[in-house]
Amino acid sequence: MRFVATSGVYAEVRNGCVWGTVEVLKTVNLRLATLVLIVAAIPGCNDTAQRTDRTMGAPPAAAPAPAGPQDAIAAALQSLQVAGIPEAPLKPGVTRSDRERYLLATAKAVEALRFFGKFDGTPPPPPLALGAPNRTEEVAALAPVFAVELADAIDRSDPARAANVLRSALSYGDYVAAESVAGGITAGTVADYLTMAIRTTSKQIDQSMNEALRQSLAPFAARTGIGTVARNAEIARLQAWVGSLQPDGPAVPLESVLRTVREAGARKPIPPEIGESLVSFTEKHSQKTDSIPAAVIVDEAKMAVGIAVSMLENFNKQVSEPILWPTIDVVAHPVASLYFAPINPYSNQASEIGALREEGIRMIELAIRLSHLSQLPADLRELGDDSVSPYNSQVYRFHLVEGGYELTRPRENLTRGVGS
């Protein structure tokens, strides 16, 4: 309830509650207390007052604008932790009502993610950890929100809104990609969902919408070097982590070593040969069977990180000739082998981030182009080079379905190469 000071005293009963204004006189405290007691004595009055206040044109207080990208992400994710949010309507045959229900349930997330529409692209600071933050679940939760809002904007013929959503989504994707090698791979999910949004609303894309989407996409298509940015972030994180280790500190428990490796993303069980070597290694360097001297741990960490950094730097140089990468003797250096497993740049596709991102951007461009054709091609190769993935030089997967088409990345006979 709100009280407004006036020159008189006025009160009335409305919806079963006392409403009034209180004169600002010497007795204001007494009168105010009296009214509060009256209101409190009437069951449900406080709730009714709040409801009536909102219906009279005073909206609930808006959530504060996110101060930074992580604040926006956290706010969006928190708002999605509620029951009743339907599956993202991105399949053929979905209706405007389907999208309305979804966007109503995810309204707070949509609002928070608009932060990325004006984001300057500053990458996140590297965490002090062996492994990069795992954003897989985050991206899987937020990418559909961007996609459904984009589809809704297209369906409602709102080019300005559609362009801003596309820009926000791609800015978010590049933010994730710039954080680490793992982020560079995970960010590709955003382009996959945006393609679905365009594909499911292709019939609603007229000339003005087509131009708006192309203009919004153009700066991202022209941007290069994301792979290098991601690899440099990976190098910075690894070097900061190994630099934080103290060789003169207390002995490191084996469980702590294994926990660090698990937190870095290693999910496979430790191979028996490494497990046996680890036992022998511990006995060799320590009188205890459950811990290893800190100085030894630092040497092992430096070996693992040194190899990973060397590989990442070579990827940045885009060396075309085959490189003989150094290996780690798992018998002599089981701890280094464990540390290296989750950060191995080759198995983590560190060289391919740029090509994967370009593949996603081209797929979005292709979806926009297909929406503008009067007749869909029977064979995507009719569209020339636009139909070929820059990642593996294969034609995007495309086939006609009732009411439209399916378009996804080509994923057969994958080849590996150095990306930008």
Side-chain angles (χ1 to χ4, degrees):
M1 177 178 294
R2 297 183 300 169
F3 292 90
V4 181
T6 65
S7 59
V9 178
Y10 167 72
E12 67 170 328
V13 176
R14 188 188 314 151
N15 294 334
C17 299
V18 176
W19 294 75
T21 57
V22 181
E23 181 182 13
V24 183
L25 297 171
K26 295 180 181 179
T27 57
V28 65
N29 290 334
L30 176 61
R31 295 185 179 185
L32 180 58
T34 302
L35 281 172
V36 170
L37 288 173
I38 293 173
V39 171
I42 303 176
C45 186
N46 187 47
D47 291 341
T48 304
Q50 292 176 357
R51 289 195 303 271
T52 307
D53 186 47
R54 287 197 291 269
T55 60
M56 293 173 67
Q70 280 304 125
D71 296 317
I73 292 169
L77 290 175
Q78 183 178 7
S79 71
L80 296 176
Q81 301 301 313
V82 295
I85 296 179
E87 180 183 355
L90 292 168
K91 297 178 180 178
V94 298
T95 65
R96 179 178 294 184
S97 297
D98 295 330
R99 286 187 285 268
E100 283 179 350
R101 284 192 292 272
Y102 178 85
L103 291 175
L104 181 63
T106 61
K108 290 183 178 180
V110 170
E111 184 63 30
L113 294 175
R114 285 181 182 146
F115 168 88
F116 286 97
K118 298 180 180 180
F119 179 52
D120 62 4
T122 303
L128 198 62
L130 174 63
N134 186 349
R135 293 187 182 267
T136 304
E137 293 185 2
E138 171 198 310
V139 174
L142 301 185
V145 178
F146 283 116
V148 177
E149 192 190 6
L150 174 61
D152 189 67
I154 293 173
D155 182 49
R156 295 179 185 276
S157 300
D158 190 339
R161 178 184 165 210
N164 190 58
V165 176
L166 183 59
R167 181 167 53 251
S168 299
L170 293 173
S171 293
Y172 166 70
D174 280 353
Y175 174 79
V176 173
E179 182 177 50
S180 65
V181 167
I185 302 301
T186 302
T189 301
V190 176
D192 296 336
Y193 272 95
L194 295 175
T195 301
M196 283 193 281
I198 296 169
R199 175 175 54 78
T200 55
T201 54
S202 60
K203 293 183 178 180
Q204 283 76 37
I205 299 179
D206 57 15
Q207 181 63 34
S208 61
M209 181 64 72
N210 185 285
E211 292 177 358
L213 293 175
R214 286 184 175 278
Q215 289 176 5
S216 186
L217 185 64
F220 296 94
R223 184 180 182 185
T224 60
I226 288 293
T228 301
V229 171
R231 289 186 289 270
N232 285 340
E234 188 86 356
I235 291 171
R237 188 192 74 251
L238 292 175
Q239 291 178 332
W241 173 74
V242 79
S244 71
L245 303 179
Q246 300 298 321
D248 55 353
V252 180
L254 279 179
E255 177 54 37
S256 178
V257 173
L258 298 176
R259 182 169 60 252
T260 297
V261 173
R262 287 195 298 268
E263 290 175 351
R267 293 177 176 82
K268 295 181 180 179
I270 297 176
E273 61 271 20
I274 294 183
E276 294 172 1
S277 299
L278 194 59
V279 172
S280 302
F281 185 83
T282 304
E283 293 174 346
K284 175 182 177 182
H285 292 281
S286 176
Q287 295 179 347
K288 299 180 179 180
T289 59
D290 61 349
S291 62
I292 302 173
V296 176
I297 290 293
V298 172
D299 289 341
E300 295 286 295
K302 286 182 177 179
M303 179 184 293
V305 168
I307 294 174
V309 169
S310 175
M311 294 175 69
L312 291 165
E313 289 175 342
N314 274 291
F315 287 149
N316 283 344
K317 296 174 184 176
Q318 301 190 40
V319 179
S320 56
E321 63 271 11
I323 299 175
L324 183 62
W325 302 114
T327 58
I328 299 176
D329 186 335
V330 298
V331 175
H333 300 285
V335 175
S337 179
L338 286 173
Y339 282 152
F340 183 71
I343 62 171
N344 184 338
Y346 186 77
S347 62
N348 290 347
Q349 297 181 283
S351 68
E352 302 167 350
I353 296 171
L356 284 168
R357 178 185 180 275
E358 187 180 351
E359 178 185 64
I361 294 292
R362 185 175 295 183
M363 185 168 61
I364 297 173
E365 289 179 320
L366 189 55
I368 296 173
R369 182 178 175 183
L370 287 169
S371 70
H372 198 55
L373 297 178
S374 57
Q375 183 174 354
L376 292 172
D379 188 334
L380 202 60
R381 285 173 289 191
E382 296 175 20
L383 302 183
D385 291 343
D386 288 348
S387 66
V388 178
S389 164
Y391 171 65
N392 58 12
S393 300
Q394 296 181 14
V395 177
Y396 287 89
R397 289 184 176 180
F398 170 82
H399 64 274
L400 301 176
V401 296
E402 183 178 356
Y405 63 90
E406 297 281 355
L407 177 66
T408 56
R409 299 175 190 251
R411 282 299 174 264
E412 293 178 357
N413 302 322
L414 296 186
T415 58
R416 292 182 182 273
V418 176
S420 58

